[in-house]
Amino acid sequence: MMNKTTQLYEGKAKKVFLTDDSDLVIQEFKDDATAFNNKKKGSIADKGVVNNAISCKLFTLLEENGIRTHLVEKLSEREMLCRYLDIIKVEVVVRNIAAGSLVKRYGFAEGTLLEQPIVELYLKNDDLDDPLMNDAHAVALGVATYEEIAVLKNRAEAINLVLRRFFADRKLKLVDFKLEFGRNKGTILLGDEISPDTCRLWDLDTNEKLDKDRFRFDLGGVEDAYSEVQRRVLDLD
Ligand code: UDP
């Protein structure tokens, strides 16, 4: 049995605890939700349970497709046992369809299918509002090397292919998503979570939004949307 020792970190949606094993941490998923860099705060009933289940399933799927992640095993409803990561302070966003900041920043019509996926880098820094950056910024800031950035981009594209097909099989469009990576014993592993908090997912037939945009823009039915994604991802019925 793996015991939580000290709390390493508390973020917006998760807490991370150290364990008796220095290579392992426990991620605990909370129901708290924030948007617009903490300006909007709330809670989504059972989100932690749902996001842990979805993330564990998707990380397992990625592992089955040869993509290394921090997942060791799902420990309980809200807890994921993970390898310890030295988190790279870069958020990697992959986009298949225009939405969110791509629409705001560049004027794409929401819903425009992008011929090629767009991979973007953001600096993981709340005080600076996670600014968009390129490889040179990341290297100049000392957050990653050029080689590491190349690995992150390639890994993000490979993950996109696996996830897109998986979601399509479940009648969901993977519009965009955010990834975080970290270093563990000389290798780069996918970290954090993949859930409706970090992806935009639209129903394949109706384009209904089934993700955190329902919370961001007060569209209602937030809990139902998250559980619908859980139902489809876990092939429940
Ligand atoms: N995203 C995220 N965390 C962030 C910023 C973005 O998980 O701090 C996800 C977001 O849910 C969406 C994708 O990354 O699926 C692209 O987000 P976008 O740049 O459009 O920004 P947002 O509209 O979330 O401000």
Side-chain angles (χ1 to χ4, degrees):
M1 192 46 217
M2 197 51 62
N3 288 309
K4 285 176 180 166
T5 55
T6 49
Q7 184 172 306
L8 188 61
Y9 164 85
E10 176 159 12
K12 297 162 208 161
K14 294 187 292 295
K15 292 180 184 176
V16 179
F17 296 89
L18 297 174
T19 68
D20 303 331
D21 182 333
S22 64
D23 189 42
L24 299 175
V25 298
I26 293 173
Q27 272 193 349
E28 186 185 303
F29 287 73
K30 306 190 291 178
D31 291 347
D32 301 347
T34 65
F36 310 116
N37 196 28
N38 278 317
K39 286 191 267 291
K40 183 180 173 75
K41 289 189 173 107
S43 148
I44 300 172
D46 278 336
K47 174 169 80 75
V49 174
V50 170
N51 281 359
N52 187 31
I54 294 171
S55 291
C56 287
K57 169 75 189 187
L58 295 176
F59 278 60
T60 302
L61 169 77
L62 292 172
E63 291 278 355
E64 287 164 358
N65 282 273
I67 292 157
R68 304 271 322 268
T69 78
H70 69 162
L71 173 67
V72 177
E73 62 173 328
K74 186 171 187 282
L75 280 185
S76 71
E77 272 200 321
R78 289 178 184 272
E79 293 171 317
M80 180 194 257
L81 182 63
C82 300
R83 288 190 199 293
Y84 177 86
L85 293 182
D86 165 26
I87 288 285
I88 299 172
K89 300 252 169 241
V90 176
E91 298 194 347
V92 184
V93 168
V94 182
R95 304 176 178 279
N96 297 302
I97 295 171
S101 68
L102 199 68
V103 169
K104 276 186 100 170
R105 190 175 291 124
Y106 301 104
F108 284 95
E110 186 185 59
T112 307
L113 180 65
L114 303 168
E115 246 171 72
Q116 289 289 124
I118 296 176
V119 179
E120 296 174 336
L121 308 176
Y122 292 85
L123 178 65
K124 195 171 150 58
N125 183 325
D126 284 338
D127 294 337
L128 297 175
D129 249 332
D130 294 350
L132 181 65
M133 65 176 176
N134 67 22
D135 310 36
H137 293 110
V139 173
L141 287 162
V143 295
T145 65
Y146 277 111
E147 291 73 22
E148 286 175 327
I149 295 291
V151 170
L152 301 194
K153 287 183 180 175
N154 285 329
R155 210 70 71 84
E157 281 174 357
I159 291 167
N160 186 39
L161 295 180
V162 174
L163 293 183
R164 238 169 35 178
R165 189 185 51 203
F166 178 84
F167 282 121
D169 288 344
R170 288 155 182 81
K171 298 261 182 211
L172 289 166
K173 289 185 197 173
L174 179 58
V175 173
D176 57 31
F177 58 99
K178 185 264 299 180
L179 301 171
E180 294 184 25
F181 296 87
R183 309 173 185 98
N184 175 282
K185 299 177 178 164
T187 60
I188 292 180
L189 304 181
L190 178 67
D192 195 47
E193 66 175 286
I194 304 179
S195 72
D197 271 9
T198 65
C199 300
R200 286 195 172 90
L201 296 163
W202 295 353
D203 181 83
L204 196 66
D205 299 318
T206 65
N207 281 337
E208 185 187 1
K209 293 176 164 65
L210 296 170
D211 56 56
K212 197 164 131 185
D213 273 352
R214 302 206 74 82
F215 169 78
R216 289 191 185 97
F217 302 109
D218 299 315
L219 301 178
V222 187
E223 282 85 359
D224 287 347
Y226 278 64
S227 38
E228 179 59 20
V229 172
Q230 179 183 31
R231 194 182 68 76
R232 296 193 201 181
V233 166
L234 300 185
D235 304 309
L236 307 173
D237 247 316

